[in-house]
Amino acid sequence: MLFSELVEYFERLEKTTSRIEMTDILVSLFHKTPSETIDKVVYLTLGVVYPEYVGLELGIADKLALRALKQVTNITDKQLSEYMAKLGDLGLVAETVITKKEQMTLFSEPLTVEKVYSLFEKIAKTTGEGSIDLKIQILAGLLAQASPKEAKHILRIVTGKMRLGVADMTILDALAILYGGSKDVREHFERAYNISSDIGLVAKVAATEGLEGIKKFKISIGKPIRPMLAERLASADEILEKLDGKGMAEYKYDGERMQIHKSNDKIIIYSRRQENITHQYPDVVEEVKKQIKAKETILECETVAIDVNTGEMLPFQELMHRKRKKEIEKAIEEYPVNMFFFDVLYIDGEDFTVKPLLERRHALESILQESEMTRLSKAILVGDKETLERFFEEAVAAGCEGVMVKAVGKESIYRAGARGWLWIKYKRDYKSEMIDTVDLVIVGGFYGRGKRSGRYGALLLAVYDKTRDTFQTVCKVGSGFTDEDLEKFHQMLESLKLSHKHARVESIMEADVWFEPKIVIEVIGAEITQSPVHTCARDKIKKDTGLAIRFPRYTGRLRTDKKPEDATTAEEIIEMYNRQLKKITEAEKVSV
Ligand code: AMP
């Protein structure tokens, strides 16, 4: 397939913000793409070369990309930086400075998608000494053969700034329409994606084996399964009512969620957002080899740092020591961990995600040998409010955040990638007057004044709306930031700046600066109020009105473990709002 054809589609996608239109364009693109190339086309459309869990990025800094560009044009450094200042986008600079006559006639064969992709792979895989120069050489060679428009997209991809606004879900829609006949069969495509985290592979199976292949799609060791997520409720009564009177309550540990893949002695650990974090936990790897009896299995646990002196669980933040490459050995000594296993998704060829919870729990118990470091999550069956309340208090006293209460009926399968009422979290802070903490996505910024000049004085934050697949604003937050935080956010957000509001952001408020929705932070507020200026749950409670968080404050916790799509949802805010109303009415009743 010619790369120029793909680029034409990129240009069309770039011009629209409508999800329906994007879907149509993708259907037509996939229709045109040969099945052996479709995975590559999908990755490139998302601006990557591999699924995220592979952890291989092109990782070319703007400065290096400029060096490659310089090699293939007659342009001076000064001119290049002037263009950069004027256009603010490397892609546009490349499009401007590469003119047709500068394409080397020697390689006048047109670029194909396969060729571009294989050179991108080469760039991603080049490591070690001298790799930077080599990467630049490969990139320059590619640019020498590219048309101005091709160069624009090549540079955007290699610098990680593709940003066509195409979401994974839109790609699944297009695949369902093309290979399944309509969006109605999307759930099969979604399941395939949820149990593999590899949208390129899903596209490939769809293109080669059709809907039947997608329906037969299987879990495989090494491909992370997207985690099942929990809903939240504020009281034991509500929880038991929702679960028809009974459930399994487990301690809710405050650590790092791990999905551990074991194939004999080969162990891979994935984080909640499917990053490969195996290298951070050599101690966990050794322990799993010893304590887990199945040959091939996929397990989930929450890993918590432990105080070496007291044996007590430490706050989540202490796991940060594992993130620094040079300090891992020291961290293993100073901050050892305990793993609390709570689920098993696959054992020796058998898919356990389709089995009810208690069956999974029994299987987990049968393959896991407990030790000081390897534990089963503490769990009991509950059927009454008093027992649940007591267990909750016990969990909190043990240093947990609260409890997870899970459905135990026939329906209680592991729903990969889904948030639902089969798992309900019940956290300590619901008991206070303050609303629970929420995890919000930074979508915009406001310039600071006075002490904060030169930085952002406030940030515009958004929730995720699953049905619309957009981010809707819910508050503007300015408090809770230390000076270091302000500096850190200013730097982190620099590379996410956009010249316009992102296609997936819904906002009435005009920010000074717009960002690509990527960073999730934890915020706590006093209450939820109706708001004419925020778009969260707009028109859901009242026409032309949304919901907002009043008196929001940054808690100091950056949720690097959450993707923007894992942020608190608009539905959750509605739930919280309704609960708050209920509380107020109850209080009024009491005071009458
Ligand atoms: P939250 O991050 O507040 O949405 O809460 C859900 C998270 O709780 C999961 O992603 C796990 O990391 C964590 N967790 C702790 N203990 C358990 C448990 N027993 N079962 C399931 N998840 C747990």
Side-chain angles (χ1 to χ4, degrees):
M1 185 182 192
L2 287 181
F3 187 56
S4 58
E5 286 179 86
L6 181 56
V7 162
E8 262 173 49
Y9 280 99
F10 288 167
E11 292 283 313
R12 284 172 60 191
L13 286 167
E14 195 185 358
K15 288 198 183 81
T16 178
T17 54
S18 140
R19 179 162 172 184
I20 296 172
E21 225 173 287
M22 275 184 190
T23 313
D24 288 346
I25 299 171
L26 290 171
V27 168
S28 137
L29 166 62
F30 297 158
H31 184 64
K32 228 178 167 180
T33 308
S35 54
E36 63 276 12
T37 313
I38 196 164
D39 48 348
K40 302 182 172 101
V41 162
V42 166
Y43 298 136
L44 295 179
T45 306
L46 293 169
V48 297
V49 199
Y50 300 106
E52 206 175 327
Y53 70 83
V54 176
L56 264 184
E57 287 175 13
L58 285 155
I60 298 222
D62 286 10
K63 258 203 329 229
L64 299 180
L66 279 171
R67 257 167 69 191
L69 195 53
K70 205 174 148 228
Q71 282 191 21
V72 294
T73 56
N74 296 322
I75 223 133
T76 62
D77 281 336
K78 184 158 171 279
Q79 283 170 312
L80 267 183
S81 47
E82 276 168 13
Y83 274 124
M84 201 51 203
K86 195 165 115 207
L87 299 168
D89 169 0
L90 257 172
L92 293 180
V93 175
E95 188 182 5
T96 315
V97 301
I98 288 195
T99 56
K100 282 246 157 49
K101 74 176 167 23
E102 265 151 357
Q103 289 173 52
M104 271 196 228
T105 43
L106 192 64
F107 301 99
S108 53
E109 253 176 57
L111 285 171
T112 61
V113 173
E114 294 77 7
K115 174 86 189 285
V116 173
Y117 184 86
S118 76
L119 290 175
F120 280 169
E121 268 194 308
K122 227 168 154 181
I123 293 177
K125 286 185 175 160
T126 304
T127 52
E129 214 179 307
S131 62
I132 292 192
D133 285 336
L134 203 56
K135 282 177 198 255
I136 295 176
Q137 285 321 315
I138 302 170
L139 179 58
L142 192 52
L143 290 174
Q145 299 171 65
S147 71
K149 281 255 181 296
E150 288 172 336
K152 164 176 152 188
H153 293 282
I154 288 173
L155 275 197
R156 283 188 181 165
I157 294 173
V158 295
T159 53
K161 299 202 175 90
M162 187 57 168
R163 297 183 194 157
L164 292 175
V166 176
D168 293 354
M169 293 302 144
T170 317
I171 290 185
L172 291 177
D173 279 349
L175 292 173
I177 292 168
L178 185 60
Y179 298 106
S182 91
K183 260 209 260 185
D184 299 345
V185 294
R186 200 185 102 141
E187 59 178 300
H188 300 292
F189 291 80
E190 214 171 318
R191 165 146 176 102
Y193 175 51
N194 284 335
I195 61 173
S196 69
S197 305
D198 185 348
I199 200 154
L201 179 68
V202 175
K204 188 137 205 172
V205 170
T208 50
E209 297 169 43
L211 182 59
E212 281 318 300
I214 290 294
K215 284 185 182 164
K216 282 192 269 162
F217 202 99
K218 289 204 164 58
I219 289 177
S220 51
I221 300 264
K223 290 199 177 288
I225 297 168
R226 287 162 43 92
M228 175 160 176
L229 305 168
E231 282 287 354
R232 58 174 84 201
L233 280 176
S235 76
D237 269 340
E238 284 172 290
I239 293 172
L240 285 171
E241 198 188 312
K242 200 82 191 176
L243 295 176
D244 289 336
K246 63 175 191 304
M248 183 168 90
E250 283 175 51
Y251 277 14
K252 184 178 189 304
Y253 302 92
D254 186 18
E256 173 153 32
R257 184 172 186 165
M258 287 183 173
Q259 189 176 96
I260 304 184
H261 290 230
K262 173 179 187 294
S263 174
N264 295 309
D265 271 356
K266 171 130 183 65
I267 314 289
I268 308 175
I269 307 173
Y270 289 112
S271 72
R272 178 196 158 110
R273 47 181 305 172
Q274 292 94 49
E275 288 151 323
N276 186 334
I277 51 168
T278 316
H279 62 280
Q280 293 173 22
Y281 295 95
D283 44 347
V284 171
V285 169
E286 286 315 308
E287 184 70 9
V288 167
K289 281 190 207 164
K290 273 196 281 181
Q291 307 302 129
I292 304 296
K293 286 179 278 177
K295 269 197 194 130
E296 290 210 314
T297 181
I298 302 176
L299 305 151
E300 280 199 323
C301 68
E302 186 83 0
T303 292
V304 184
I306 301 291
D307 185 322
V308 265
N309 298 311
T310 62
E312 279 174 10
M313 291 192 267
L314 290 171
F316 159 86
Q317 285 81 343
E318 300 297 354
L319 289 172
M320 285 314 280
H321 300 282
R322 301 282 180 140
K323 313 275 174 228
R324 300 188 194 106
K325 253 192 192 145
K326 289 196 186 112
E327 290 175 29
I328 291 173
E329 286 307 316
K330 201 165 136 224
I332 291 174
E333 291 280 308
E334 288 174 17
Y335 299 93
V337 292
N338 279 182
M339 291 106 74
F340 296 94
F341 285 87
F342 59 80
D343 222 321
V344 61
L345 314 185
Y346 178 90
I347 306 176
D348 295 331
E350 208 175 334
D351 180 352
F352 271 73
T353 62
V354 292
K355 299 183 193 276
L357 179 69
L358 293 181
E359 212 176 307
R360 301 204 301 279
R361 178 81 188 187
H362 289 141
L364 178 64
E365 287 170 3
S366 73
I367 60 165
L368 180 145
Q369 197 173 337
E370 283 198 280
S371 72
E372 175 125 6
M373 191 174 161
T374 305
R375 317 260 185 105
L376 283 161
S377 65
K378 184 148 181 167
I380 58 163
L381 287 171
V382 290
D384 64 279
K385 181 179 145 190
E386 290 71 29
T387 316
L388 179 51
E389 282 291 2
R390 231 181 300 121
F391 191 66
F392 174 84
E393 297 301 342
E394 190 191 305
V396 170
C400 289
E401 278 187 295
V403 293
M404 291 287 258
V405 194
K406 301 178 180 176
V408 289
K410 273 210 287 297
E411 76 293 357
S412 62
I413 57 164
Y414 185 95
R415 296 194 52 215
R419 190 182 293 284
W421 293 104
L422 292 175
W423 287 11
I424 302 172
K425 55 188 171 191
Y426 178 21
K427 289 208 265 183
R428 183 182 34 201
D429 27 26
Y430 293 124
K431 298 221 138 181
S432 74
E433 279 310 298
M434 299 274 273
I435 58 162
D436 179 33
T437 58
V438 283
D439 300 317
L440 305 174
V441 188
I442 304 178
V443 297
F446 300 88
Y447 294 128
R449 287 188 213 148
K451 246 179 74 187
R452 291 193 180 174
S453 67
R455 293 168 177 169
Y456 297 114
L459 299 172
L460 184 58
L461 303 180
V463 292
Y464 177 58
D465 183 313
K466 192 163 189 298
T467 23
R468 297 169 63 87
D469 195 34
T470 55
F471 299 97
Q472 304 173 335
T473 71
V474 69
C475 66
K476 192 174 151 179
V477 65
S479 68
F481 300 98
T482 61
D483 281 352
E484 291 82 55
D485 288 334
L486 290 173
E487 186 53 41
K488 189 171 72 185
F489 279 112
H490 197 254
Q491 282 175 15
M492 272 191 325
L493 290 165
E494 194 55 32
S495 63
L496 300 178
K497 270 188 187 169
L498 301 171
S499 56
H500 52 272
K501 192 171 71 190
H502 190 274
R504 290 170 69 204
V505 169
E506 296 189 68
S507 176
I508 297 170
M509 219 177 240
E510 274 298 322
D512 292 336
V513 187
W514 293 107
F515 304 117
E516 190 186 351
K518 207 154 203 173
I519 300 180
V520 180
I521 63 173
E522 191 185 70
V523 164
I524 188 150
E527 61 172 328
I528 295 171
T529 54
Q530 295 188 6
S531 155
V533 294
H534 285 291
T535 52
C536 167
R538 197 167 168 81
D539 295 331
K540 289 271 167 65
I541 286 181
K542 208 179 209 167
K543 184 140 184 16
D544 295 332
T545 303
L547 292 178
I549 294 172
R550 191 156 167 251
F551 300 138
R553 182 165 51 80
Y554 175 49
T555 64
R557 188 163 172 184
L558 199 58
R559 294 296 309 248
T560 45
D561 57 328
K562 290 203 170 179
K563 290 187 190 178
E565 286 83 359
D566 295 328
T568 299
T569 59
E571 285 75 21
E572 286 181 84
I573 300 284
I574 296 176
E575 286 277 345
M576 289 163 91
Y577 179 72
N578 286 337
R579 262 201 321 273
Q580 190 182 291
L581 284 186
K582 209 166 126 198
K583 253 195 207 159
I584 296 170
T585 357
E586 272 163 13
E588 275 170 358
K589 264 192 230 147
V590 174
S591 63
V592 166

